[in-house]
Amino acid sequence: MGKITIRVPNKDFFVNEANKSLRTNLGFCGKDKKVITFTSYSPGEGKSTTVINLALSLTDIHQKVLIIDADLRKSSLMHKLKAVGIEKGLSHYLSRQARVEDVIYETNVKNLDMMFSGPFPPNPAELLGSQLFGMTVTSLKEYYDYILIDTPPIGSVIDAAVVAEKSDGAIIVIESGAISHKLEQESIKQLEKTGCPILGVILNKVKNIGKAYYD
Ligand SMILES: Nc1ncnc2c1ncn2[C@@H]1O[C@H](COP(=O)(O)OP(=O)(O)OP(=O)(O)O)[C@@H](O)[C@H]1O
Ligand SMILES: [Mg+2]
């Protein structure tokens, strides 16, 4: 396993509080909910940001966390975390060009490991739908308290549904005011078809949280 340094975002009070309550709610979903897929209907609603912030919040209370960047089409975590020196990622592993230990990186954040996406393969959904991915996630559960999986928007490609099928639960990130109720329902329907329980919805980018929060 390689070792890397990542740069994590500065903690904003409200983001921190929101993530603490998310962490608590996740705890109430039960100990068997370890592998969680994050998705949204459309791009840019905040999936990757949410995955990072929640992972940091979980490591704060000494939970061992693995983030998997399963957005093989437009991966962003390497860039967001300013990670350098990554040689192999999930697409290498799933196409059998690397071993699992080559694609998991220990980070400078205690208890946080990362699996980055690797280069854009020609067949992302097929790789993510493979038995290998499912078996790997299942066997990694032994080593981690939580495995948080970042995926592409479910309204554009099938990848998130394929990953959700191999997860213990899914969380939908919704950008406040960005999409219609009808489209939100579409993502829920897509996920329900996979049989993966939907643990909840995160309403992201809510404006004027300050006063409204206390009111
Ligand atoms: N709660 C928030 N408040 C303000 N800005 C946010 C918030 N959450 C995310 N953002 C910003 O919104 C943009 C999109 O966020 P992010 O990359 O996490 O979305 P995404 O759903 O993963 O996008 P994609 O579908 O492209 O992968 C980023 O610039 C991010 O910094
Ligand atoms: Mg993203």
Side-chain angles (χ1 to χ4, degrees), residues 11-28 50 53-58 60-61 213:
K11 277 191 180 159
D12 167 278
F13 175 78
F14 289 112
V15 172
N16 203 19
E17 288 305 303
N19 276 286
K20 275 193 209 162
S21 84
L22 181 56
R23 175 181 85 191
T24 307
N25 288 336
L26 195 55
F28 279 117
T50 302
N53 287 327
L54 177 62
L56 293 173
S57 187
L58 287 165
D60 279 348
I61 54 161
Y213 180 82

Side-chain angles (χ1 to χ4, degrees), residues 158-171:
I158 192 76
D159 306 18
V162 164
V163 172
E165 215 168 356
K166 299 175 163 52
S167 308
D168 302 324
I171 291 181

Side-chain angles (χ1 to χ4, degrees), residues 44 46-49 69 71 74-77 80 150-153:
K47 301 172 285 296
S48 306
T49 307
D69 187 351
D71 189 345
K74 204 189 87 187
S75 117
S76 69
L77 292 184
K80 279 194 200 308
D150 191 16
T151 67

Side-chain angles (χ1 to χ4, degrees), residues 67-131:
I67 294 181
I68 300 182
D69 187 351
D71 189 345
L72 301 182
R73 299 169 194 262
K74 204 189 87 187
S75 117
S76 69
L77 292 184
M78 231 167 87
H79 175 71
K80 279 194 200 308
L81 296 170
K82 308 215 169 21
V84 286
I86 313 299
E87 285 173 12
K88 301 276 179 184
L90 179 60
S91 59
H92 288 119
Y93 172 65
L94 294 178
S95 56
R96 299 178 194 268
Q97 300 179 66
R99 298 167 305 169
V100 72
E101 55 268 40
D102 299 328
V103 297
I104 296 180
Y105 289 84
E106 189 184 336
T107 73
N108 51 312
V109 176
K110 194 160 184 273
N111 287 325
L112 178 62
D113 290 352
M114 294 291 316
M115 188 188 289
F116 293 100
S117 71
F120 184 179
N123 50 348
E126 197 183 305
L127 290 181
L128 295 168
S130 67
Q131 240 188 4

